[in-house]
Amino acid sequence: MAFLDNILLSLESLKSNKLRAILTMLGIIIGIGSVITINTVGVSLTSSVSSSMQSLGVTTITVQLTQKSEDDEKTNQDVQIKKFGDDTPGKDDLITDEMISSFRNDFNDKVQYIELSRSVGTGTIENYDDSSSTTSVNVTGVNDEYFDAEEVNIIYGRAIKNKKDNDKDICVVSNKFVEDALGKNSKDVIGKTVTITINDMPKTFFIAGVYEYEQETASTALNQEVTTSFYIPIKTARILNGDYAGYESFKVVSTAETDTSAFLNTIGDYFTNVYSRNDSWTASASSLESMLSKFTEIMSTISLAIAAIAAISLVVGGIGVMNIMLVSITERTKEIGTRKALGATNASIRWQFITESMVICLIGGIIGVVFGVTLGMIISNIIGFTAKPSISSIILALLFSLFIGVVFGYAPANKAAKLNPIDALRYE
Amino acid sequence: MGERIISLKGIKKSFFIGKPNELEVLHGIDLEVNKGEFVAVVGESGSGKSTLMNIIGVLDRQTDGKYILDGIDISKANDKQLSEIRNKKVGFVFQTFNLIGRQTAVKNVELPMLYKGVPKKERTKKAEELLEMVNMKDRMKHKPNELSGGQKQRVSIARAIANDPAIILADEPTGALDSQTSRTVMDIFHRLHKEHNKTIILITHNRDLAEECDRVITLKDGMITDEFEGGRLNGFS
């Protein structure tokens, strides 16, 4: 008996008892639906996070001071006790300009830019048209390479130059800042002064350049009031901060042809070596790529855990299918007897009922997938990410629902197949 | 004498074998049926009619004795072969029709062909022809619950002959019908017998209907007690 005939037969039998079929499917629908919902949200989240991370550049490696872990210090108990609880690096622990320039010399062929930045804090300025409202800026000290590395687009004037500007009070501001706070045309402000208040202290800067402010996609909906960056020379920033020693972190942009992950390890080893005599601090390297892989790892662990829970609901659904198949077989005992009298083999009876159970589960699975994808898309949109249902997991879910159909349909189908035709025919 | 279709020799059937309530229902039946014969089996309830019918229809196996159906020794067949024999050699007509309620008349008639592996188009065509033959052409798409008793039985006769079986086994086919519809059904059996040379075994309580057949066999307490020529036909000769 052809497989297609079995499918048509199953559909007929489901049609004759619609409510029961739907109630039976409900377990499968909920199980598959929840897996697909979670999966769609997860995949959407992962892909939007990774695409926004990738747009920031995977060639960027961050070198950052980190406290040495206890394992490293076990060899020197005294130091460990002495340093316990000391969680901010001292002046001597910071990364110095000398370290950076010798690093640069050693890896000149692989390093495209070294990006230094130092946050000073939030600066405010009264708006030109309304003295009761203010515009805020992030005052950040940067080196000249920062502008190239971050692809800051200077539209008027110039970027900051290390040698020339050194510790001068100059700044590079955004066109948005010029419009909002100064109410002037960007090209007219070059060489003019601007006074902003940083930590309650007014400070005047000459505007050396204006860069084009680019909206960040993720925050578009919320940016009524945007805080743009207010770039000043890094040395000026260090003076404002009251320290001259060095940096807690810096960024390295590798050249395009460099293998970032290999270079990451090289940099890590290099600075571990530099800090080998420092008892409590070291510098470690990380990239968005390594963060991305960690993030993906976490997401897949969460998905796996949810899938395990959903699997339990699918098993419960499967038991429901099995139960209804047993009822259905008892109801149709006479039909089974008739079929056997007409020449149905045990195998064809078995297949008829396994197919029926598979059809129930597959239809349930399909409804579940539709339901899950829809719900997943709605949730993704609410969170603010582009929904991306994963085709592979949809196929997997459908295959799994078929598998449940076979597993939970087999026992009832086998029971039907083994019925004695005479007893079955006589059954009322 | 024509070709031998059924040959029963010393058929015994016991139930509850090996248990204290072991019961022998058939005590050695010898029966031979030739191709094209119309045989009636009569007997009271508990005479072993149904048991004999189940054995002839290969729904059950004898405990002892030899049964050859259309040249096949049934005792040597396995379960799968028995299914095939039921499918191709036997056409059942039941007292309670046993049509599948969810399916239309055509689909019901198609069933034996479905299990034989006949392609869809071919079996639909054949089923329609068969329904036409039993005057059910206008009710082909109806489901059993939309049909009267007589109509249901006509559908089930069409189903019984779908695979052109060696024997048609009718177990009280008129038992659930009034006398007028019984007549219609019997006329169809006679037509199958006369015009299509079918071998028919009819099990019935009704002596009048039995006596219309070529041969009447009386079963009592699991033994054949009487056998005589029938052939008294009402308006059919």
Side-chain angles (χ1 to χ4, degrees):
Chain A
M1 190 161 138
F3 188 58
L4 189 69
D5 292 320
N6 270 330
I7 291 174
L8 293 175
L9 219 60
S10 312
L11 291 176
E12 254 166 27
S13 112
L14 295 184
K15 227 165 65 185
S16 68
N17 221 327
K18 287 192 199 82
L19 181 64
R20 185 204 273 179
I22 287 168
L23 288 176
T24 311
M25 284 172 195
L26 213 53
I28 306 290
I29 293 173
I30 291 170
I32 295 282
S34 54
V35 175
I36 297 293
T37 307
I38 298 298
N39 188 271
T40 305
V41 174
V43 169
S44 310
L45 197 68
T46 311
S47 77
S48 359
V49 168
S50 61
S51 73
S52 64
M53 277 185 171
Q54 250 145 17
S55 73
L56 292 172
V58 286
T59 52
T60 306
I61 295 166
T62 305
V63 180
Q64 188 159 31
L65 277 184
T66 49
Q67 220 162 357
K68 283 186 178 171
S69 68
E70 286 181 21
D71 289 342
D72 296 338
E73 295 174 24
K74 261 181 189 153
T75 46
N76 201 332
Q77 290 285 334
D78 300 337
V79 175
Q80 189 190 354
I81 291 160
K82 200 172 77 187
K83 292 284 175 186
F84 186 77
D86 186 3
D87 57 357
T88 48
K91 241 180 187 179
D92 301 336
D93 298 321
L94 294 172
I95 301 166
T96 61
D97 284 324
E98 290 73 36
M99 283 183 197
I100 292 168
S101 57
S102 77
F103 163 74
R104 171 148 227 163
N105 286 337
D106 291 351
F107 295 100
N108 208 16
D109 54 331
K110 286 183 176 172
V111 175
Q112 193 177 7
Y113 303 116
I114 288 181
E115 187 184 322
L116 297 170
S117 67
R118 205 55 212 271
S119 175
V120 179
T122 306
T124 53
I125 182 167
E126 285 176 5
N127 287 344
Y128 70 99
D129 55 350
D130 178 8
S131 59
S132 65
S133 72
T134 57
T135 297
S136 301
V137 285
N138 287 324
V139 182
T140 311
V142 295
N143 65 338
D144 47 5
E145 288 174 63
Y146 180 94
F147 292 92
D148 296 321
E150 294 286 324
E151 293 172 346
V152 177
N153 183 20
I154 305 289
I155 46 176
Y156 296 108
R158 60 169 178 87
I160 286 162
K161 301 266 188 289
N162 272 8
K163 291 242 167 63
K164 193 173 164 187
D165 298 328
N166 198 13
D167 58 353
K168 286 181 187 158
D169 293 335
I170 66 145
C171 65
V172 173
V173 296
S174 69
N175 55 348
K176 188 167 173 57
F177 170 81
V178 174
E179 284 161 27
D180 292 354
L182 308 178
K184 285 183 182 154
N185 203 315
S186 294
K187 65 183 175 200
D188 300 331
V189 297
I190 307 298
K192 301 276 162 45
T193 59
V194 58
T195 304
I196 60 165
T197 309
I198 309 167
N199 302 332
D200 297 332
M201 291 278 288
K203 175 93 186 161
T204 304
F205 294 93
F206 286 96
I207 298 172
V210 177
Y211 69 92
E212 185 182 14
Y213 170 72
E214 280 177 35
Q215 286 195 330
E216 276 173 46
T217 44
S219 58
T220 354
L222 310 162
N223 69 348
Q224 295 306 78
E225 199 126 316
V226 190
T227 307
T228 62
S229 289
F230 186 95
Y231 298 118
I232 59 174
I234 185 118
K235 269 213 175 133
T236 315
R238 279 158 61 179
I239 293 163
L240 281 173
N241 276 358
D243 70 65
Y244 305 87
Y247 315 95
E248 285 185 25
S249 71
F250 69 94
K251 285 181 185 172
V252 179
V253 177
S254 58
T255 52
E257 56 271 22
T258 306
D259 176 357
T260 312
S261 55
F263 190 40
L264 180 82
N265 293 332
T266 314
I267 296 174
D269 292 345
Y270 179 90
F271 279 97
T272 306
N273 195 31
V274 169
Y275 274 85
S276 61
R277 277 181 299 169
N278 191 311
D279 291 324
S280 53
W281 291 88
T282 187
S284 66
S286 65
S287 70
L288 286 174
E289 198 174 51
S290 64
M291 282 161 70
L292 190 63
S293 71
K294 261 188 197 137
F295 175 78
T296 315
E297 207 175 291
I298 291 166
M299 281 309 292
S300 63
T301 310
I302 293 170
S303 300
L304 207 68
I306 289 162
I309 295 164
I312 295 169
S313 82
L314 281 174
V315 167
V316 175
I319 293 168
V321 171
M322 188 166 177
N323 187 25
I324 219 69
M325 288 306 294
L326 285 169
V327 171
S328 168
I329 281 158
T330 309
E331 278 177 357
R332 283 149 72 183
T333 303
K334 195 152 191 172
E335 176 192 324
I336 294 162
T338 307
R339 286 178 184 278
K340 286 198 155 190
L342 297 178
T345 58
N346 289 357
S348 62
I349 296 286
R350 192 181 294 122
W351 266 112
Q352 181 192 337
F353 286 101
I354 288 181
T355 309
E356 189 163 323
S357 144
M358 280 164 80
V359 166
I360 292 177
C361 290
L362 186 63
I363 293 176
I366 291 169
I367 297 173
V369 164
V370 171
F371 173 73
V373 168
T374 313
L375 197 64
M377 281 177 149
I378 291 169
I379 293 175
S380 297
N381 282 333
I382 289 171
I383 302 175
F385 294 109
T386 320
K388 276 190 185 165
S390 134
I391 302 296
S392 61
S393 62
I394 287 172
I395 291 169
L396 203 69
L398 294 181
L399 286 179
F400 193 67
S401 60
L402 275 180
F403 173 73
I404 285 180
V406 175
V407 168
F408 290 97
Y410 184 82
N414 206 36
K415 192 185 164 202
K418 284 190 173 155
L419 281 176
N420 178 336
I422 301 168
D423 296 341
L425 274 171
R426 238 181 253 148
Y427 186 89
E428 288 297 336
Chain B
M1 291 289 273
E3 188 188 334
R4 188 139 302 161
I5 288 282
I6 289 173
S7 169
L8 296 170
K9 278 206 178 70
I11 294 294
K12 291 183 181 173
K13 178 68 186 177
S14 302
F15 292 105
F16 313 114
I17 294 163
K19 290 181 183 165
N21 57 344
E22 182 171 332
L23 178 71
E24 192 174 86
V25 179
L26 298 178
H27 312 288
I29 302 277
D30 296 316
L31 177 67
E32 294 193 332
V33 178
N34 291 330
K35 189 171 167 63
E37 258 194 302
F38 192 172
V39 180
V41 177
V42 292
E44 291 164 11
S45 297
S47 62
K49 288 197 312 278
S50 290
T51 309
L52 181 62
M53 155 104 179
N54 288 338
I55 288 171
I56 293 174
V58 206
L59 286 168
D60 206 355
R61 288 173 197 265
Q62 68 273 28
T63 319
D64 196 14
K66 194 168 175 140
Y67 173 28
I68 293 172
L69 171 64
D70 203 19
I72 302 162
D73 190 346
I74 298 305
S75 49
K76 285 174 186 158
N78 64 24
D79 270 0
K80 204 177 167 207
Q81 286 162 330
L82 289 183
S83 296
E84 200 183 326
I85 292 164
R86 284 198 290 270
N87 185 233
K88 292 176 181 166
K89 302 286 181 194
V90 187
F92 286 96
V93 179
F94 302 98
Q95 179 177 3
T96 51
F97 324 121
N98 289 9
L99 296 174
I100 291 171
R102 285 172 277 114
Q103 297 188 313
T104 60
V106 182
K107 292 261 180 197
N108 268 287
V109 177
E110 278 182 38
L111 263 185
M113 294 186 273
L114 183 76
Y115 289 119
K116 195 183 174 187
V118 178
K120 172 128 183 74
K121 268 191 181 167
E122 202 180 309
R123 61 176 194 249
T124 308
K125 189 168 168 276
K126 177 92 185 273
E128 285 171 0
E129 283 168 15
L130 290 168
L131 283 170
E132 202 175 340
M133 196 174 114
V134 294
N135 295 324
M136 285 292 294
K137 198 189 175 189
D138 51 341
R139 296 290 165 91
M140 279 193 297
K141 301 286 178 199
H142 288 236
K143 287 186 178 171
N145 60 9
E146 297 156 357
L147 300 173
S148 73
Q151 288 168 330
K152 280 188 220 177
Q153 199 57 297
R154 270 141 69 190
V155 173
S156 93
I157 291 169
R159 182 178 68 182
I161 56 178
N163 279 343
D164 201 13
I167 55 165
I168 296 169
L169 210 50
D171 185 8
E172 303 270 11
T174 59
L177 305 175
D178 61 52
S179 58
Q180 204 183 336
T181 28
S182 293
R183 187 68 259 149
T184 325
V185 167
M186 275 310 287
D187 287 348
I188 292 171
F189 280 120
H190 282 301
R191 218 169 76 216
L192 288 173
H193 173 225
K194 291 280 178 198
E195 293 173 16
H196 300 272
N197 199 29
K198 298 282 178 197
T199 312
I200 302 168
I201 297 169
L202 173 77
I203 292 177
T204 183
H205 270 108
N206 190 324
R207 283 231 155 234
D208 287 342
L209 293 180
E211 282 169 17
E212 294 174 12
C213 304
D214 296 344
R215 193 145 58 107
V216 182
I217 289 157
T218 310
L219 213 60
K220 199 177 176 190
D221 298 331
M223 300 278 278
I224 293 177
T225 53
D226 190 21
E227 189 173 339
F228 61 90
E229 297 272 319
R232 184 180 60 79
L233 289 181
N234 295 333
F236 221 99
S237 52

